[in-house]
Amino acid sequence: MEELLKSSVNIDFESQGIQEYIEEFRSLPSKTEIAVKLYLKIRDGFLYDPYHLDISPSSLVASKILSKKRAWCVEKALLMITCSRALGVPAKFGFAIVTNHLGVEKLEFYLRRKEIVFHGFASLFLEGKWIICTPAFDARVCKLSGVQPLNWDGISDSLFQEFEGNQQFMEYKRYYGFFNDIPFELMHAEMQVFYPHLFEKQWNEKEFSFRFDKKFII
């Protein structure tokens, strides 16, 4: 459990930016209330953006996310885990392969397949048990997609909605498991398997960008 309260190069909660970001939560009476309010701040504080991805260790640093207005699921999970640990709540990463069935034609065009690989979420230790939360989709994006925002009470797991009414929304195809920190080598390896074209040239367009660390290329 002590490992899940530690900082790292990427989970840099000792940085000034993170310390200032979490200041408002220090006086809250319980860890659960801290976690829930932190979740909402991260969920709605950044527009969900899966079209500009950088999976390099030098970029996936929690304090760097604070300078952005948009973030993708792994960035939001990283910030959730970093801030939780800073506030004394053990936290770890979860990763999965998912398919999104609503409004993803543009993303499928760039990824060239339906699967979203290494979708990230967080797991926090609250009231004696591990609870999953997913702060990725903000309220504005959910409204545009015609789904309800994914709420979280800090008591039960909160993954993506599998259905919105009678229409399927998210489907979890495979779980990678839980990790103390971001498994960069595995992330690069899996994305090379599913999206080999992304590693064949520089993607730095206004509509879509993708960056990676060449040292992990197989």
Side-chain angles (χ1 to χ4, degrees):
M1 195 67 72
E2 290 181 4
E3 293 297 317
L4 298 171
L5 284 168
K6 289 183 177 179
S7 63
S8 70
V9 172
N10 303 95
I11 305 172
D12 63 335
F13 62 69
E14 295 168 346
S15 63
Q16 181 179 349
I18 295 295
Q19 290 297 315
E20 292 176 352
Y21 186 78
I22 63 173
E23 182 62 34
E24 65 185 276
F25 303 104
R26 296 186 191 279
S27 60
L28 295 178
S30 72
K31 299 295 188 185
T32 299
E33 185 176 354
I34 287 172
V36 171
K37 290 190 175 181
L38 177 63
Y39 168 85
L40 292 173
K41 180 173 182 174
I42 294 172
R43 187 194 73 180
D44 295 334
F46 305 85
L47 290 176
Y48 174 66
D49 182 3
Y51 299 103
H52 299 283
L53 311 176
D54 190 334
I55 63 172
S56 60
S58 61
S59 294
L60 280 174
V61 177
S63 61
K64 291 185 177 182
I65 299 169
L66 298 179
S67 64
K68 299 184 175 185
K69 294 183 179 180
R70 299 169 179 266
W72 58 298
C73 60
V74 174
E75 289 177 320
K76 289 193 177 188
L78 170 60
L79 190 56
M80 184 74 195
I81 290 160
T82 300
C83 294
S84 296
R85 290 189 186 183
L87 292 163
V89 179
K92 57 188 177 181
F93 291 91
F95 295 99
I97 296 175
V98 302
T99 54
N100 186 343
H101 295 271
L102 292 179
V104 291
E105 292 81 5
K106 177 182 173 183
L107 188 58
E108 286 183 20
F109 173 79
Y110 289 109
L111 298 184
R112 299 182 186 176
R113 58 191 306 160
K114 292 181 179 296
E115 294 91 346
I116 299 173
V117 177
F118 253 79
H119 157 66
F121 50 94
S123 182
L124 277 61
F125 193 74
L126 296 166
E127 302 297 332
K129 64 178 182 178
W130 287 101
I131 313 293
I132 291 172
C133 66
T134 312
F137 272 11
D138 58 276
R140 179 181 173 185
V141 165
C142 286
K143 184 177 181 179
L144 292 172
S145 299
V147 299
Q148 292 296 315
L150 189 64
N151 290 316
W152 184 53
D153 58 10
I155 299 172
S156 55
D157 290 341
S158 182
L159 288 163
F160 274 129
Q161 310 95 316
E162 292 190 28
F163 290 88
E164 180 68 18
N166 294 322
Q167 187 172 8
Q168 190 172 31
F169 178 52
M170 297 293 296
E171 182 180 1
Y172 282 75
K173 308 292 288 187
R174 172 188 168 189
Y175 289 94
Y176 289 101
F178 295 96
F179 303 83
N180 291 3
D181 212 325
I182 301 174
F184 287 103
E185 186 173 354
L186 178 60
M187 179 186 287
H188 279 71
E190 283 294 284
M191 287 196 174
Q192 285 177 78
V193 170
F194 281 82
Y195 318 126
H197 63 286
L198 295 183
F199 296 84
E200 293 172 356
K201 71 168 191 175
Q202 294 291 324
W203 296 82
N204 193 25
E205 304 168 7
K206 182 179 180 181
E207 294 294 320
F208 181 81
S209 63
F210 180 76
R211 296 182 177 87
F212 57 92
D213 193 318
K214 293 181 180 180
K215 74 180 182 181
F216 294 112
I217 301 304
I218 300 174

mmCIF file of all heavy atoms in Angstrom, residues 100-134:
data_model
loop_
_atom_site.group_PDB
_atom_site.id
_atom_site.type_symbol
_atom_site.label_atom_id
_atom_site.label_comp_id
_atom_site.label_asym_id
_atom_site.label_seq_id
_atom_site.Cartn_x
_atom_site.Cartn_y
_atom_site.Cartn_z
ATOM 1 N N ASN A 100 -16.115 2.175 -28.550
ATOM 2 C CA ASN A 100 -17.079 3.245 -28.327
ATOM 3 C C ASN A 100 -18.036 3.232 -29.512
ATOM 4 O O ASN A 100 -17.615 3.338 -30.658
ATOM 5 C CB ASN A 100 -16.337 4.587 -28.236
ATOM 6 C CG ASN A 100 -17.248 5.734 -27.873
ATOM 7 O OD1 ASN A 100 -18.454 5.631 -27.981
ATOM 8 N ND2 ASN A 100 -16.668 6.835 -27.450
ATOM 9 N N HIS A 101 -19.323 3.107 -29.230
ATOM 10 C CA HIS A 101 -20.296 2.932 -30.308
ATOM 11 C C HIS A 101 -21.051 4.208 -30.673
ATOM 12 O O HIS A 101 -21.947 4.183 -31.502
ATOM 13 C CB HIS A 101 -21.302 1.843 -29.913
ATOM 14 C CG HIS A 101 -20.685 0.492 -29.763
ATOM 15 N ND1 HIS A 101 -20.565 -0.394 -30.814
ATOM 16 C CD2 HIS A 101 -20.126 -0.125 -28.697
ATOM 17 C CE1 HIS A 101 -19.985 -1.503 -30.401
ATOM 18 N NE2 HIS A 101 -19.704 -1.369 -29.119
ATOM 19 N N LEU A 102 -20.708 5.311 -30.053
ATOM 20 C CA LEU A 102 -21.414 6.560 -30.342
ATOM 21 C C LEU A 102 -20.445 7.645 -30.804
ATOM 22 O O LEU A 102 -19.497 7.974 -30.112
ATOM 23 C CB LEU A 102 -22.154 7.060 -29.095
ATOM 24 C CG LEU A 102 -23.349 6.232 -28.614
ATOM 25 C CD1 LEU A 102 -23.939 6.871 -27.358
ATOM 26 C CD2 LEU A 102 -24.416 6.113 -29.675
ATOM 27 N N GLY A 103 -20.695 8.183 -31.993
ATOM 28 C CA GLY A 103 -19.987 9.371 -32.451
ATOM 29 C C GLY A 103 -18.482 9.248 -32.554
ATOM 30 O O GLY A 103 -17.765 10.180 -32.169
ATOM 31 N N VAL A 104 -17.983 8.104 -33.057
ATOM 32 C CA VAL A 104 -16.531 7.925 -33.114
ATOM 33 C C VAL A 104 -16.024 7.690 -34.533
ATOM 34 O O VAL A 104 -14.923 7.192 -34.735
ATOM 35 C CB VAL A 104 -16.093 6.736 -32.223
ATOM 36 C CG1 VAL A 104 -16.279 7.079 -30.764
ATOM 37 C CG2 VAL A 104 -16.845 5.470 -32.601
ATOM 38 N N GLU A 105 -16.819 8.069 -35.533
ATOM 39 C CA GLU A 105 -16.399 7.844 -36.913
ATOM 40 C C GLU A 105 -15.078 8.540 -37.216
ATOM 41 O O GLU A 105 -14.204 7.985 -37.886
ATOM 42 C CB GLU A 105 -17.487 8.337 -37.878
ATOM 43 C CG GLU A 105 -18.771 7.531 -37.862
ATOM 44 C CD GLU A 105 -19.696 7.920 -36.718
ATOM 45 O OE1 GLU A 105 -19.362 8.887 -35.986
ATOM 46 O OE2 GLU A 105 -20.743 7.271 -36.545
ATOM 47 N N LYS A 106 -14.920 9.753 -36.705
ATOM 48 C CA LYS A 106 -13.681 10.506 -36.943
ATOM 49 C C LYS A 106 -12.488 9.803 -36.311
ATOM 50 O O LYS A 106 -11.428 9.674 -36.932
ATOM 51 C CB LYS A 106 -13.817 11.916 -36.376
ATOM 52 C CG LYS A 106 -12.568 12.773 -36.507
ATOM 53 C CD LYS A 106 -12.779 14.138 -35.868
ATOM 54 C CE LYS A 106 -11.494 14.945 -35.840
ATOM 55 N NZ LYS A 106 -11.670 16.259 -35.162
ATOM 56 N N LEU A 107 -12.642 9.307 -35.077
ATOM 57 C CA LEU A 107 -11.543 8.613 -34.405
ATOM 58 C C LEU A 107 -11.207 7.308 -35.110
ATOM 59 O O LEU A 107 -10.030 6.971 -35.272
ATOM 60 C CB LEU A 107 -11.905 8.352 -32.942
ATOM 61 C CG LEU A 107 -10.793 7.801 -32.056
ATOM 62 C CD1 LEU A 107 -9.594 8.742 -32.035
ATOM 63 C CD2 LEU A 107 -11.299 7.574 -30.639
ATOM 64 N N GLU A 108 -12.215 6.583 -35.549
ATOM 65 C CA GLU A 108 -11.984 5.332 -36.289
ATOM 66 C C GLU A 108 -11.222 5.601 -37.580
ATOM 67 O O GLU A 108 -10.407 4.773 -38.009
ATOM 68 C CB GLU A 108 -13.306 4.646 -36.600
ATOM 69 C CG GLU A 108 -13.953 3.980 -35.396
ATOM 70 C CD GLU A 108 -15.233 3.244 -35.761
ATOM 71 O OE1 GLU A 108 -15.414 2.939 -36.963
ATOM 72 O OE2 GLU A 108 -16.049 2.992 -34.864
ATOM 73 N N PHE A 109 -11.469 6.737 -38.204
ATOM 74 C CA PHE A 109 -10.766 7.094 -39.437
ATOM 75 C C PHE A 109 -9.261 7.157 -39.198
ATOM 76 O O PHE A 109 -8.469 6.659 -40.008
ATOM 77 C CB PHE A 109 -11.280 8.434 -39.963
ATOM 78 C CG PHE A 109 -10.511 8.967 -41.131
ATOM 79 C CD1 PHE A 109 -10.716 8.484 -42.410
ATOM 80 C CD2 PHE A 109 -9.552 9.969 -40.949
ATOM 81 C CE1 PHE A 109 -9.983 8.975 -43.498
ATOM 82 C CE2 PHE A 109 -8.822 10.469 -42.017
ATOM 83 C CZ PHE A 109 -9.045 9.965 -43.290
ATOM 84 N N TYR A 110 -8.862 7.760 -38.082
ATOM 85 C CA TYR A 110 -7.440 7.895 -37.783
ATOM 86 C C TYR A 110 -6.837 6.609 -37.208
ATOM 87 O O TYR A 110 -5.691 6.266 -37.522
ATOM 88 C CB TYR A 110 -7.208 9.061 -36.823
ATOM 89 C CG TYR A 110 -7.418 10.406 -37.462
ATOM 90 C CD1 TYR A 110 -8.520 11.194 -37.136
ATOM 91 C CD2 TYR A 110 -6.530 10.891 -38.415
ATOM 92 C CE1 TYR A 110 -8.725 12.433 -37.729
ATOM 93 C CE2 TYR A 110 -6.723 12.124 -39.021
ATOM 94 C CZ TYR A 110 -7.822 12.886 -38.682
ATOM 95 O OH TYR A 110 -8.015 14.104 -39.286
ATOM 96 N N LEU A 111 -7.592 5.910 -36.386
ATOM 97 C CA LEU A 111 -7.062 4.691 -35.767
ATOM 98 C C LEU A 111 -7.149 3.481 -36.697
ATOM 99 O O LEU A 111 -6.447 2.484 -36.493
ATOM 100 C CB LEU A 111 -7.811 4.386 -34.464
ATOM 101 C CG LEU A 111 -7.718 5.437 -33.357
ATOM 102 C CD1 LEU A 111 -8.436 4.940 -32.111
ATOM 103 C CD2 LEU A 111 -6.262 5.767 -33.032
ATOM 104 N N ARG A 112 -8.073 3.542 -37.684
ATOM 105 C CA ARG A 112 -8.284 2.479 -38.672
ATOM 106 C C ARG A 112 -8.845 1.197 -38.057
ATOM 107 O O ARG A 112 -8.707 0.122 -38.634
ATOM 108 C CB ARG A 112 -6.983 2.183 -39.449
ATOM 109 C CG ARG A 112 -6.459 3.369 -40.222
ATOM 110 C CD ARG A 112 -5.219 3.030 -41.014
ATOM 111 N NE ARG A 112 -4.650 4.227 -41.628
ATOM 112 C CZ ARG A 112 -3.508 4.242 -42.320
ATOM 113 N NH1 ARG A 112 -2.822 3.105 -42.488
ATOM 114 N NH2 ARG A 112 -3.050 5.365 -42.827
ATOM 115 N N ARG A 113 -9.461 1.308 -36.917
ATOM 116 C CA ARG A 113 -10.177 0.184 -36.314
ATOM 117 C C ARG A 113 -11.042 0.713 -35.171
ATOM 118 O O ARG A 113 -10.873 1.844 -34.710
ATOM 119 C CB ARG A 113 -9.234 -0.909 -35.834
ATOM 120 C CG ARG A 113 -8.195 -0.503 -34.824
ATOM 121 C CD ARG A 113 -7.176 -1.631 -34.650
ATOM 122 N NE ARG A 113 -7.817 -2.903 -34.323
ATOM 123 C CZ ARG A 113 -7.233 -4.091 -34.503
ATOM 124 N NH1 ARG A 113 -6.011 -4.177 -35.006
ATOM 125 N NH2 ARG A 113 -7.851 -5.203 -34.181
ATOM 126 N N LYS A 114 -11.969 -0.109 -34.700
ATOM 127 C CA LYS A 114 -12.933 0.317 -33.693
ATOM 128 C C LYS A 114 -12.366 0.318 -32.284
ATOM 129 O O LYS A 114 -12.795 1.088 -31.426
ATOM 130 C CB LYS A 114 -14.174 -0.583 -33.739
ATOM 131 C CG LYS A 114 -15.006 -0.440 -34.999
ATOM 132 C CD LYS A 114 -16.223 -1.356 -34.941
ATOM 133 C CE LYS A 114 -17.083 -1.202 -36.175
ATOM 134 N NZ LYS A 114 -17.665 0.150 -36.291
ATOM 135 N N GLU A 115 -11.395 -0.551 -32.017
ATOM 136 C CA GLU A 115 -10.885 -0.682 -30.651
ATOM 137 C C GLU A 115 -10.085 0.541 -30.218
ATOM 138 O O GLU A 115 -9.271 1.068 -30.969
ATOM 139 C CB GLU A 115 -9.994 -1.916 -30.529
ATOM 140 C CG GLU A 115 -10.715 -3.234 -30.708
ATOM 141 C CD GLU A 115 -10.708 -3.693 -32.146
ATOM 142 O OE1 GLU A 115 -10.383 -2.873 -33.043
ATOM 143 O OE2 GLU A 115 -11.004 -4.870 -32.397
ATOM 144 N N ILE A 116 -10.329 0.968 -28.996
ATOM 145 C CA ILE A 116 -9.534 2.014 -28.360
ATOM 146 C C ILE A 116 -8.628 1.303 -27.361
ATOM 147 O O ILE A 116 -9.093 0.761 -26.354
ATOM 148 C CB ILE A 116 -10.423 3.046 -27.658
ATOM 149 C CG1 ILE A 116 -11.342 3.722 -28.689
ATOM 150 C CG2 ILE A 116 -9.578 4.084 -26.932
ATOM 151 C CD1 ILE A 116 -12.388 4.641 -28.082
ATOM 152 N N VAL A 117 -7.340 1.281 -27.657
ATOM 153 C CA VAL A 117 -6.377 0.514 -26.874
ATOM 154 C C VAL A 117 -5.793 1.365 -25.752
ATOM 155 O O VAL A 117 -5.498 2.541 -25.938
ATOM 156 C CB VAL A 117 -5.250 -0.003 -27.792
ATOM 157 C CG1 VAL A 117 -4.187 -0.739 -26.984
ATOM 158 C CG2 VAL A 117 -5.829 -0.916 -28.850
ATOM 159 N N PHE A 118 -5.649 0.754 -24.608
ATOM 160 C CA PHE A 118 -5.084 1.395 -23.417
ATOM 161 C C PHE A 118 -5.929 2.575 -22.946
ATOM 162 O O PHE A 118 -5.411 3.626 -22.589
ATOM 163 C CB PHE A 118 -3.621 1.802 -23.633
ATOM 164 C CG PHE A 118 -2.678 0.900 -22.880
ATOM 165 C CD1 PHE A 118 -2.357 -0.346 -23.372
ATOM 166 C CD2 PHE A 118 -2.149 1.274 -21.657
ATOM 167 C CE1 PHE A 118 -1.523 -1.201 -22.672
ATOM 168 C CE2 PHE A 118 -1.328 0.430 -20.939
ATOM 169 C CZ PHE A 118 -0.999 -0.813 -21.448
ATOM 170 N N HIS A 119 -7.237 2.348 -22.949
ATOM 171 C CA HIS A 119 -8.132 3.276 -22.256
ATOM 172 C C HIS A 119 -7.766 3.254 -20.775
ATOM 173 O O HIS A 119 -7.618 2.187 -20.172
ATOM 174 C CB HIS A 119 -9.583 2.851 -22.459
ATOM 175 C CG HIS A 119 -10.511 3.350 -21.398
ATOM 176 N ND1 HIS A 119 -10.785 4.691 -21.226
ATOM 177 C CD2 HIS A 119 -11.199 2.693 -20.443
ATOM 178 C CE1 HIS A 119 -11.615 4.826 -20.211
ATOM 179 N NE2 HIS A 119 -11.881 3.629 -19.711
ATOM 180 N N GLY A 120 -7.589 4.429 -20.173
ATOM 181 C CA GLY A 120 -7.131 4.506 -18.784
ATOM 182 C C GLY A 120 -8.204 4.934 -17.808
ATOM 183 O O GLY A 120 -9.057 5.764 -18.129
ATOM 184 N N PHE A 121 -8.174 4.343 -16.615
ATOM 185 C CA PHE A 121 -9.056 4.753 -15.528
ATOM 186 C C PHE A 121 -8.283 4.633 -14.220
ATOM 187 O O PHE A 121 -7.099 4.266 -14.215
ATOM 188 C CB PHE A 121 -10.345 3.916 -15.500
ATOM 189 C CG PHE A 121 -10.137 2.427 -15.553
ATOM 190 C CD1 PHE A 121 -10.077 1.667 -14.391
ATOM 191 C CD2 PHE A 121 -10.016 1.763 -16.779
ATOM 192 C CE1 PHE A 121 -9.892 0.292 -14.434
ATOM 193 C CE2 PHE A 121 -9.830 0.382 -16.831
ATOM 194 C CZ PHE A 121 -9.764 -0.349 -15.649
ATOM 195 N N ALA A 122 -8.915 4.967 -13.110
ATOM 196 C CA ALA A 122 -8.231 4.985 -11.819
ATOM 197 C C ALA A 122 -8.941 4.082 -10.818
ATOM 198 O O ALA A 122 -10.146 3.856 -10.911
ATOM 199 C CB ALA A 122 -8.178 6.415 -11.272
ATOM 200 N N SER A 123 -8.183 3.582 -9.862
ATOM 201 C CA SER A 123 -8.746 2.806 -8.762
ATOM 202 C C SER A 123 -8.194 3.378 -7.461
ATOM 203 O O SER A 123 -6.980 3.489 -7.286
ATOM 204 C CB SER A 123 -8.381 1.324 -8.896
ATOM 205 O OG SER A 123 -8.973 0.559 -7.854
ATOM 206 N N LEU A 124 -9.107 3.756 -6.562
ATOM 207 C CA LEU A 124 -8.727 4.383 -5.294
ATOM 208 C C LEU A 124 -9.133 3.503 -4.121
ATOM 209 O O LEU A 124 -10.161 2.821 -4.174
ATOM 210 C CB LEU A 124 -9.407 5.749 -5.151
ATOM 211 C CG LEU A 124 -8.751 6.957 -5.833
ATOM 212 C CD1 LEU A 124 -8.659 6.769 -7.344
ATOM 213 C CD2 LEU A 124 -9.531 8.228 -5.514
ATOM 214 N N PHE A 125 -8.332 3.520 -3.071
ATOM 215 C CA PHE A 125 -8.628 2.743 -1.873
ATOM 216 C C PHE A 125 -9.372 3.628 -0.881
ATOM 217 O O PHE A 125 -8.801 4.529 -0.263
ATOM 218 C CB PHE A 125 -7.342 2.216 -1.246
ATOM 219 C CG PHE A 125 -7.563 1.160 -0.204
ATOM 220 C CD1 PHE A 125 -7.940 -0.124 -0.561
ATOM 221 C CD2 PHE A 125 -7.402 1.456 1.151
ATOM 222 C CE1 PHE A 125 -8.139 -1.110 0.399
ATOM 223 C CE2 PHE A 125 -7.604 0.489 2.115
ATOM 224 C CZ PHE A 125 -7.983 -0.801 1.739
ATOM 225 N N LEU A 126 -10.673 3.379 -0.739
ATOM 226 C CA LEU A 126 -11.540 4.198 0.112
ATOM 227 C C LEU A 126 -12.385 3.306 1.023
ATOM 228 O O LEU A 126 -12.970 2.317 0.552
ATOM 229 C CB LEU A 126 -12.469 5.062 -0.750
ATOM 230 C CG LEU A 126 -11.795 6.109 -1.651
ATOM 231 C CD1 LEU A 126 -12.785 6.639 -2.678
ATOM 232 C CD2 LEU A 126 -11.240 7.256 -0.804
ATOM 233 N N GLU A 127 -12.450 3.650 2.284
ATOM 234 C CA GLU A 127 -13.262 2.910 3.250
ATOM 235 C C GLU A 127 -12.964 1.408 3.220
ATOM 236 O O GLU A 127 -13.865 0.572 3.286
ATOM 237 C CB GLU A 127 -14.758 3.159 2.987
ATOM 238 C CG GLU A 127 -15.178 4.615 3.053
ATOM 239 C CD GLU A 127 -14.980 5.237 4.429
ATOM 240 O OE1 GLU A 127 -15.040 4.498 5.421
ATOM 241 O OE2 GLU A 127 -14.768 6.465 4.491
ATOM 242 N N GLY A 128 -11.688 1.082 3.078
ATOM 243 C CA GLY A 128 -11.272 -0.306 3.182
ATOM 244 C C GLY A 128 -11.415 -1.155 1.939
ATOM 245 O O GLY A 128 -11.236 -2.374 1.992
ATOM 246 N N LYS A 129 -11.710 -0.535 0.785
ATOM 247 C CA LYS A 129 -11.823 -1.321 -0.442
ATOM 248 C C LYS A 129 -11.423 -0.483 -1.654
ATOM 249 O O LYS A 129 -11.424 0.747 -1.613
ATOM 250 C CB LYS A 129 -13.238 -1.872 -0.621
ATOM 251 C CG LYS A 129 -14.313 -0.802 -0.795
ATOM 252 C CD LYS A 129 -15.677 -1.445 -1.022
ATOM 253 C CE LYS A 129 -16.755 -0.379 -1.245
ATOM 254 N NZ LYS A 129 -18.068 -1.008 -1.523
ATOM 255 N N TRP A 130 -11.090 -1.187 -2.739
ATOM 256 C CA TRP A 130 -10.703 -0.509 -3.976
ATOM 257 C C TRP A 130 -11.943 -0.168 -4.791
ATOM 258 O O TRP A 130 -12.805 -1.014 -5.015
ATOM 259 C CB TRP A 130 -9.775 -1.404 -4.796
ATOM 260 C CG TRP A 130 -8.402 -1.503 -4.208
ATOM 261 C CD1 TRP A 130 -7.889 -2.527 -3.470
ATOM 262 C CD2 TRP A 130 -7.366 -0.512 -4.300
ATOM 263 N NE1 TRP A 130 -6.600 -2.233 -3.082
ATOM 264 C CE2 TRP A 130 -6.248 -1.016 -3.580
ATOM 265 C CE3 TRP A 130 -7.276 0.734 -4.910
ATOM 266 C CZ2 TRP A 130 -5.058 -0.306 -3.472
ATOM 267 C CZ3 TRP A 130 -6.092 1.451 -4.798
ATOM 268 C CH2 TRP A 130 -5.001 0.932 -4.082
ATOM 269 N N ILE A 131 -12.007 1.094 -5.247
ATOM 270 C CA ILE A 131 -13.146 1.595 -6.004
ATOM 271 C C ILE A 131 -12.632 2.202 -7.315
ATOM 272 O O ILE A 131 -11.711 3.013 -7.312
ATOM 273 C CB ILE A 131 -13.933 2.675 -5.230
ATOM 274 C CG1 ILE A 131 -14.205 2.224 -3.794
ATOM 275 C CG2 ILE A 131 -15.229 2.999 -5.958
ATOM 276 C CD1 ILE A 131 -15.128 1.066 -3.655
ATOM 277 N N ILE A 132 -13.254 1.827 -8.426
ATOM 278 C CA ILE A 132 -12.846 2.320 -9.745
ATOM 279 C C ILE A 132 -13.622 3.586 -10.110
ATOM 280 O O ILE A 132 -14.826 3.680 -9.867
ATOM 281 C CB ILE A 132 -13.092 1.242 -10.817
ATOM 282 C CG1 ILE A 132 -12.119 0.072 -10.628
ATOM 283 C CG2 ILE A 132 -12.950 1.818 -12.227
ATOM 284 C CD1 ILE A 132 -12.405 -1.115 -11.512
ATOM 285 N N CYS A 133 -12.914 4.540 -10.714
ATOM 286 C CA CYS A 133 -13.583 5.718 -11.268
ATOM 287 C C CYS A 133 -12.968 6.070 -12.614
ATOM 288 O O CYS A 133 -11.808 5.763 -12.887
ATOM 289 C CB CYS A 133 -13.520 6.903 -10.317
ATOM 290 S SG CYS A 133 -11.862 7.570 -10.035
ATOM 291 N N THR A 134 -13.770 6.728 -13.465
ATOM 292 C CA THR A 134 -13.354 7.045 -14.832
ATOM 293 C C THR A 134 -13.669 8.502 -15.129
ATOM 294 O O THR A 134 -14.776 8.836 -15.567
ATOM 295 C CB THR A 134 -14.095 6.132 -15.835
ATOM 296 O OG1 THR A 134 -14.009 4.779 -15.405
ATOM 297 C CG2 THR A 134 -13.498 6.263 -17.227
#
